[in-house]
Amino acid sequence: MNRRISRLPVFLYLLFAGWFFFSAASAATFVEPVDAGRVRDRSLAAIVTGVDDVVCTGTVIGPRHVLTAASCVIDPETGAPFRDRQIMPRIDLDDGYIPAARRFVRRVYLPAADASFGPGGALESQLAIVEVIDGQPAFSEVTSETGFHYGHAGNDGLDALFYDAVTGGQMTSVSCAALSIEAGDLMPLSCSLPEGAAGAAIRSASGIVGIYLGPGRGRYIGKAEQEGIGRIITGLQPGHFRVAEAGYAPFISFVLANACDRPISYVARYRPIAARKDQPFATVSGEVDGGASAILPFKTENGVIYLRGMADGGRLTWGGDHRFAGEGYFKVAITDWGDHFHALSCGE
């Protein structure tokens, strides 16, 4: 369904016109930090790669579903979901805290070529619904807001709540105005938000109006999109959406926090719990700066990890009674995939 601003209800037309003049007079988009402890939108989610590198923003819309921009989760070269994207609901990384809330992507729903609301053409103009895998707590266990509701842009204005990729913190813009609604439900916007905001919901007080795609660009969500999204959330046939299977591979993410005031060089040995006793251990090594956290570069479904760390040119900082080639390691047993966090001080 193609729309032009002239086809909108009169109150919407006047609102958008008013926002146009307001935004034209504004030198910059107004953006401010949000206190995560008091944030009003509890359905905000971050789309991350690595440990906590925010690449986009999403909105939890069901027990296992997140609404975002297609470019956040689909590789433009292959047309398949990125294999390194995960969802973290209700996080705040502004203080350096890395949450244990990672969800792995199972499949992605994209507008079909014959969608009544228009496929949006290029990938960068499409919305996407991400479905995460079973076997982890539903989003409803960590956020109190998991229902999708569609709203019109009323006279209360529009805003967008999102993650800033630079700081990892939550931010909000209260001046992200829609200037028109064009063919394919594309929605020119008055705002240019920081990196990490792509995929964030643009809201009025009555609900989600659209999706922020990038500087000056958005995607309107009308009744046709709403109906399709509702079908996906409730497990019905996706209708005007096509399915892209992610081929996910759940892994253990072992995050090591160095509580020392100096860099630590670590050596980690690991193998799956189900491995034969004669199966050799794999070994990885690296360095974690003082006061920083780092993900150890290994992935395994289940595992036992032996770890030791050195500082000041080789002085043992972390070690234990388990011996490899005469060197002492301490043992960490992990029984399920997902995020596991270990903070170590120089005295351990």
Side-chain angles (χ1 to χ4, degrees), residues 61-257:
I61 57 174
R64 302 196 181 279
H65 294 91
V66 171
L67 178 67
T68 189
S71 60
C72 295
V73 289
I74 298 294
D75 187 338
E77 295 185 0
T78 65
F82 287 112
R83 296 183 63 86
D84 65 344
R85 298 289 193 267
Q86 299 98 47
I87 311 297
M88 286 184 171
R90 269 184 68 178
I91 66 171
D92 183 32
L93 303 176
D94 197 30
D95 61 355
Y97 172 67
I98 303 174
R102 190 182 310 265
R103 303 293 192 278
F104 296 94
V105 177
R106 180 182 183 186
R107 59 172 62 103
V108 178
Y109 295 88
L110 301 164
D114 61 349
S116 61
F117 47 81
L123 180 69
E124 60 267 21
S125 299
Q126 296 182 9
L127 59 82
I129 297 96
V130 177
E131 180 180 323
V132 299
I133 64 174
D134 296 329
Q136 293 180 282
F139 287 126
S140 56
E141 297 187 23
V142 294
T143 177
S144 58
E145 190 172 317
T146 57
F148 173 79
H149 62 286
Y150 157 72
H152 291 282
N155 57 10
D156 53 316
L158 303 176
D159 62 15
L161 197 65
F162 60 92
Y163 283 99
D164 181 358
V166 175
T167 67
Q170 295 181 8
M171 309 286 283
T172 186
S173 169
V174 295
S175 57
C176 199
L179 305 180
S180 65
I181 299 176
E182 299 182 346
D185 282 353
L186 299 182
M187 189 168 62
L189 302 172
S190 66
C191 57
S192 178
L193 303 181
E195 182 183 358
I202 301 170
R203 295 178 181 270
S204 70
S206 59
I208 296 175
V209 173
I211 297 295
Y212 180 82
L213 299 174
R217 299 184 302 111
R219 175 66 185 260
Y220 181 70
I221 296 179
K223 291 184 178 180
E225 290 95 327
Q226 177 193 14
E227 190 273 339
I229 292 170
R231 292 180 64 88
I232 292 171
I233 295 172
T234 54
L236 300 175
Q237 290 297 316
H240 292 297
F241 284 83
R242 60 185 177 89
V243 180
E245 298 291 342
Y248 67 88
F251 60 86
I252 285 174
S253 169
F254 187 91
V255 182
L256 182 62

Side-chain angles (χ1 to χ4, degrees), residues 48-51 82-86 102 104-105 247-255 266 268-273 279 282-284 295-305 334 336-340:
V48 302
T49 184
V51 180
F82 287 112
R83 296 183 63 86
D84 65 344
R85 298 289 193 267
Q86 299 98 47
R102 190 182 310 265
F104 296 94
V105 177
Y248 67 88
F251 60 86
I252 285 174
S253 169
F254 187 91
V255 182
Y266 68 83
R269 297 174 180 266
Y270 70 97
R271 67 182 177 192
I273 288 177
Q279 180 174 329
T283 302
V284 296
I295 185 170
L296 274 60
F298 58 79
K299 296 178 180 179
T300 178
E301 183 177 345
N302 293 293
V304 176
I305 301 166
I334 297 176
D336 59 348
W337 41 259
D339 291 332
H340 297 267

Side-chain angles (χ1 to χ4, degrees), residues 16-82:
F16 289 143
W19 270 113
F20 176 82
F21 290 114
F22 172 81
S23 61
S26 300
T29 303
F30 177 66
V31 176
E32 65 178 357
V34 174
D35 183 348
R38 295 196 299 253
V39 62
R40 64 188 182 283
D41 181 7
R42 305 305 288 179
S43 64
L44 189 67
I47 299 175
V48 302
T49 184
V51 180
D52 63 347
D53 293 332
V54 175
V55 293
C56 283
T57 301
T59 302
V60 175
I61 57 174
R64 302 196 181 279
H65 294 91
V66 171
L67 178 67
T68 189
S71 60
C72 295
V73 289
I74 298 294
D75 187 338
E77 295 185 0
T78 65
F82 287 112

